[in-house]
Amino acid sequence: MCGIAGFFSAAPLYPEDDATLSRMLDTIYHRGPDGEGAHIDHARGVAMGHTRLSIIDLNTGEQPILSKDDRLALTVNGEFYDFKKYRSHAMAEGDRFRCKSDSEIALSLYRKYGLSFVDHLRGEFAFALYDKEQDQMIFVRDRFGIRPLFFHNNGEMLVYGSEVKSVIAHPKVPKRLCRKAALHQLMQTIKPGTSAFEGVVALEPGHMMVVKRRNGKLETNVRKYWDLDFPEVDQRDALLTEEDHIERIREKLIESIVFRLEADVPVGCYLSGGIDSCCILGLASGAMQSPVKAFTISFDDDKYDEAHIAKEMSDSMGADQEQINLKAADLYGENYIRTVWHAERTFYNTLGVAKYLMSKRVRECGYKTVVTGEGADELFGGYPAFKRDMFLYGLETEDPKERERLQGLLDESNKLFKGAILAENRLRHPAFEELCGFTPSWIQPWMATLELARPLLSDDSLEEIGDYDPIEQIASKIDAKMLLNRHPLDKAQYTWSKCQLEGQILNWGGDRVDMANSMESRPAFLDHHLAEAAIQVPPNLRIKGNVEKWVLREAVKGVLPEVLYKREKFAFMAPPAHTSPDKLAKVNELIERFLNPDSVREAGILSPERTETFLKHYREDKDPISLTRKDTLLNHLICLQIMHDKFIETEAAYGKPN
């Protein structure tokens, strides 16, 4: 795991461009404090930089990596799994390597297969590869967007980096928060392929971009090389039994976990009270020769805390558990501000801050790498919103009483999260109605938040965005072909995965808060071989009756305590600010600092008067659902102002130490 940054110019570079690349790398020093390297070809307009977090091949794995003939140059952020097999095959065919790193297999595979080499790469990665012979730069991002990659392209120069802060460190990239993106930030759901910054976009998951120099300009070609392709209705293999699916999921999950335990440094596990991380700990315990180091977050509110279940799991596996106990003072203040700086987007809950603090504890314990459970809900229908759509649109039964019974069970078990992850009232939008045949439940709470958020923008911001419809724009970025003739549960899972998985789960719940402390997370469920097995599982085996992730539960029940095997999905969230006086006091400190009228007026994104009115209503509100929704929006408002303060107004001193 590392950081990459650089630029590719249609014109030759100047000597001072070397210092520019160095400044870009300084901003992502946290991604790779173990080493720094650069490949600069001034005549060809190529500048490639790399900051290294050494995980595999500690002694000779420096980057950029050049091919033996110096034709190819490579910088990689991430990991390629099963790399030893590919190295051995390449050696048998006469190829030779300069180091023992997993990253170098990309060069060998590119020489052999050309652009189709991406089909042979397994893991989580974002990388840049320059081909001197073709005079082209190739950018590739992994299938789920686990590793980030952003760029700015003005037609004459393309600037790229693992994080936006490295891109906007280049003097030719403007620094301005996009007003349309601000509306997305406030409603929680970003438009796929975008960032919070004007002119800076993301390479989408499962995509490759080839950039060529031609006639003093840059020509770009972006193509999709992989997608979460659910089978059409009635196209799944009907001969596969329940047991066949269970065994196949078990086999692919174990394979994925074993690959992710490969490292030249110790590997631990994140452990919450959910099935996902617990089964990873259980299966990893079987593969490792010593007790697994497990890291658990504990909150000071019993309604949100799962640490007691995590401890039961840890004890049952003989793991070495490290528990981090978090209170209000931990989740707000400077930790909150730093989390925003690292995430480069807003968040609706301080879980992101909690995960930032957990990765910090991991490093303090001497670990650089952990295996995590992100992705299981996406593959196996784990979220409450998926269950709601299954009950509304996907059940084979036509009995309205059965549908009503299941809906009642779902509402009762998730009443704590109404207003955040579930909407209290059904909402519809024509763009999603046309795309899916219904409006997925996962986006409905954020549609309700949008109604509160839009009026809070300043008059100038509202004039600038005009009649911009963020929901319509989100729907426009989803490939309609992938939803044609699919089951409603498949549609719900697919649309969520295209939006919230990359934009939320893998951002302030994953890479950005982990790499903030130079710590690599490896989500074992987001292995494309496992995903391709999961999408073949029929919907009624993903959600069976009222049991979500049924096939996964059955596949791993041998390592789960009974209480966990039978437990319904519980959303992993930090206690919102309104749940206790100490949290309210801490969030008020942030409000006074960043949402005061002068700061709001200076930033120019929000209306000072309407923001003050919102804060007044927030403080007076007593309705738990309304408060939960306002609490999510309050976080977004604070985060947006922090982003202006740290990226536009000043330059936060969180980069490379002097």
Side-chain angles (χ1 to χ4, degrees):
M1 176 71 72
C2 307
I4 63 173
F7 38 99
F8 185 39
S9 174
L13 300 180
Y14 295 97
E16 53 265 32
D17 287 321
D18 298 30
T20 296
L21 180 61
S22 181
R23 286 194 300 272
M24 292 170 68
L25 293 175
D26 286 349
T27 67
I28 53 172
Y29 172 81
H30 52 276
R31 297 191 70 91
D34 297 334
E36 182 178 299
H39 171 72
I40 302 176
D41 186 332
H42 293 88
R44 292 177 177 269
V46 175
M48 304 172 69
H50 186 268
T51 61
R52 187 182 185 211
L53 181 65
S54 53
I55 303 291
I56 292 175
D57 187 15
L58 307 185
N59 298 319
T60 64
E62 295 87 358
Q63 296 191 36
I65 301 173
L66 301 182
S67 60
K68 288 281 189 179
D69 59 2
D70 288 339
R71 170 193 160 194
L72 307 175
L74 173 73
T75 53
V76 179
N77 166 30
E79 304 291 347
F80 299 132
Y81 300 118
D82 206 13
F83 69 96
K84 293 179 179 178
K85 178 183 75 176
Y86 284 108
R87 287 177 63 94
S88 296
H89 277 295
M91 295 283 286
E93 294 168 0
D95 207 348
R96 294 296 181 265
F97 295 88
R98 284 189 163 183
C99 63
K100 297 293 186 180
S101 167
D102 60 296
S103 297
E104 197 173 359
I105 65 167
L107 296 179
S108 176
L109 291 169
Y110 175 71
R111 282 193 296 266
K112 182 175 182 178
Y113 295 107
L115 293 179
S116 63
F117 77 126
V118 292
D119 299 330
H120 302 270
L121 296 173
R122 182 176 190 173
E124 54 260 3
F125 47 81
F127 63 86
L129 190 160
Y130 177 66
D131 184 334
K132 184 186 297 186
E133 186 177 281
Q134 298 295 322
D135 197 15
Q136 65 183 17
M137 187 82 84
I138 301 161
F139 299 94
V140 182
R141 193 171 180 202
D142 68 65
R143 294 165 179 85
F144 293 98
I146 301 166
R147 302 299 166 228
L149 184 57
F150 297 93
F151 58 92
H152 169 83
N153 186 2
N154 63 14
E156 297 177 352
M157 175 179 283
L158 184 143
V159 183
Y160 67 91
S162 293
E163 299 182 11
V164 176
K165 57 181 67 71
S166 62
V167 177
I168 62 176
H170 194 288
K172 290 190 176 180
V173 181
K175 287 198 299 184
R176 185 176 189 262
L177 291 173
C178 175
R179 278 17 182 195
K180 292 177 180 177
L183 191 55
H184 282 280
Q185 300 282 323
L186 294 178
M187 65 161 285
Q188 171 61 22
T189 307
I190 64 171
K191 179 181 177 181
T194 66
S195 79
F197 295 79
E198 204 162 271
V200 180
V201 297
L203 184 62
E204 293 186 54
H207 281 68
M208 167 196 293
M209 181 170 68
V210 180
V211 186
K212 281 180 170 286
R213 297 200 307 168
R214 198 184 307 275
N215 300 323
K217 297 288 184 181
L218 296 179
E219 292 185 356
T220 61
N221 178 265
V222 180
R223 71 174 181 89
K224 179 167 63 174
Y225 69 87
W226 188 89
D227 208 344
L228 195 62
D229 190 3
F230 287 93
E232 294 188 22
V233 173
D234 299 328
Q235 292 300 305
R236 287 185 174 87
D237 189 344
L239 296 179
L240 292 176
T241 65
E242 288 185 0
E243 191 54 44
D244 290 332
H245 286 293
I246 291 168
E247 181 56 38
R248 192 176 179 202
I249 295 303
R250 182 187 298 126
E251 177 187 346
K252 293 298 182 183
L253 178 57
I254 290 172
E255 180 181 82
S256 176
I257 291 171
V258 170
F259 277 139
R260 281 157 181 77
L261 294 174
E262 174 78 32
D264 294 333
V265 296
V267 180
C269 289
Y270 276 171
L271 178 65
S272 68
I275 287 174
D276 316 335
S277 62
C278 285
C279 76
I280 284 175
L281 175 66
L283 298 175
S285 296
M288 296 180 71
Q289 299 300 309
S290 56
V292 179
K293 185 74 172 179
F295 299 90
T296 299
I297 292 171
S298 177
F299 296 119
D300 61 352
D301 186 328
D302 291 343
K303 294 191 295 294
Y304 294 85
D305 188 43
E306 299 181 309
H308 60 289
I309 299 175
K311 186 178 188 311
E312 183 173 343
M313 181 67 202
S314 176
D315 291 346
S316 72
M317 291 293 121
D320 177 13
Q321 187 184 25
E322 181 81 13
Q323 181 171 300
I324 175 170
N325 302 303
L326 299 177
K327 301 184 183 301
D330 304 306
L331 296 173
Y332 295 94
E334 183 63 20
N335 292 327
Y336 188 108
I337 296 167
R338 282 179 174 264
T339 302
V340 176
W341 186 82
H342 283 289
E344 299 173 339
R345 68 149 295 169
T346 68
F347 43 79
Y348 75 93
N349 182 262
T350 54
L351 176 61
V353 187
K355 296 197 76 173
Y356 164 77
L357 292 169
M358 184 158 70
S359 69
K360 185 178 181 181
R361 178 67 63 86
V362 171
R363 281 308 308 259
E364 290 169 351
C365 290
Y367 281 73
K368 290 182 177 182
T369 311
V370 294
V371 184
T372 70
E374 286 85 10
D377 292 308
E378 283 74 11
L379 296 183
F380 299 106
Y383 293 119
F386 296 162
K387 291 176 76 172
R388 176 175 281 182
D389 289 339
M390 182 70 166
F391 298 160
L392 287 172
Y393 314 112
L395 292 180
E396 295 177 2
T397 178
E398 295 297 327
D399 183 357
K401 290 186 178 179
E402 175 63 8
R403 292 176 183 270
E404 187 176 332
R405 183 186 73 84
L406 291 170
Q407 284 280 9
L409 292 172
L410 177 65
D411 290 342
E412 178 61 27
S413 59
N414 287 279
K415 60 185 179 182
L416 189 64
F417 308 109
K418 283 278 186 75
I421 62 172
L422 278 179
E424 64 275 26
N425 301 308
R426 285 175 60 188
L427 301 174
R428 292 180 173 86
H429 192 283
F432 271 100
E433 293 291 325
E434 181 179 350
L435 184 70
C436 300
F438 62 95
T439 302
S441 294
W442 67 261
I443 199 169
Q444 292 181 33
W446 309 122
M447 289 168 61
T449 303
L450 175 61
E451 294 178 9
L452 289 176
R454 192 178 195 114
L456 300 184
L457 293 177
S458 68
D459 291 342
D460 288 345
S461 295
L462 288 170
E463 183 178 357
E464 183 174 334
I465 67 174
D467 60 356
Y468 180 82
D469 183 347
I471 308 297
E472 182 179 62
Q473 289 297 312
I474 292 166
S476 74
K477 290 293 292 183
I478 296 171
D479 189 347
K481 297 190 299 294
M482 305 304 293
L483 300 175
L484 189 64
N485 202 28
R486 265 62 169 201
H487 188 276
L489 180 59
D490 299 343
K491 294 178 181 181
Q493 290 179 224
Y494 181 85
T495 54
W496 164 279
S497 296
K498 294 289 105 177
C499 299
Q500 300 296 76
L501 176 60
E502 176 207 5
Q504 171 186 318
I505 305 297
L506 298 175
N507 178 292
W508 57 260
D511 174 276
R512 311 303 283 280
V513 291
D514 293 325
M515 288 303 290
N517 291 298
S518 313
M519 201 283 299
E520 176 181 271
S521 53
R522 299 175 169 185
F525 285 100
L526 295 179
D527 179 283
H528 74 281
H529 292 267
L530 174 58
E532 288 166 0
I535 61 178
Q536 294 294 331
V537 176
N540 64 353
L541 298 186
R542 281 176 264 151
I543 298 177
K544 191 171 188 179
N546 191 42
V547 180
E548 74 282 351
K549 295 189 284 195
W550 181 85
V551 68
L552 176 61
R553 290 173 191 265
E554 296 304 307
V556 299
K557 67 179 180 181
V559 298
L560 298 178
E562 185 176 7
V563 63
L564 188 55
Y565 169 71
K566 294 181 177 179
R567 186 178 185 238
E568 188 176 1
K569 166 73 179 181
F570 184 83
F572 189 30
M573 288 174 58
H578 69 265
T579 57
S580 68
D582 56 341
K583 293 180 182 63
L584 274 175
K586 298 305 292 185
V587 82
N588 275 327
E589 292 177 8
L590 290 172
I591 290 171
E592 290 169 10
R593 179 173 173 184
F594 294 105
L595 285 181
N596 67 76
D598 289 340
S599 295
V600 172
R601 189 174 295 107
E602 175 67 27
I605 303 171
L606 304 171
S607 162
E609 296 78 18
R610 293 190 287 273
T611 299
E612 277 294 300
T613 300
F614 167 80
L615 293 173
K616 179 176 180 291
H617 291 164
Y618 171 77
R619 290 168 174 139
E620 294 172 350
D621 203 336
K622 304 300 179 186
D623 177 75
I625 295 175
S626 176
L627 258 178
T628 298
R629 176 162 294 121
K630 287 189 175 75
D631 198 279
T632 67
L633 181 52
L634 175 61
N635 278 308
H636 288 309
L637 292 167
I638 295 171
C639 291
L640 193 60
Q641 285 292 114
I642 291 173
M643 289 175 66
H644 173 82
D645 183 76
K646 298 303 177 187
F647 291 110
I648 311 302
E649 187 70 20
T650 61
E651 290 188 12
Y654 298 145
K656 187 175 183 177
N658 293 325

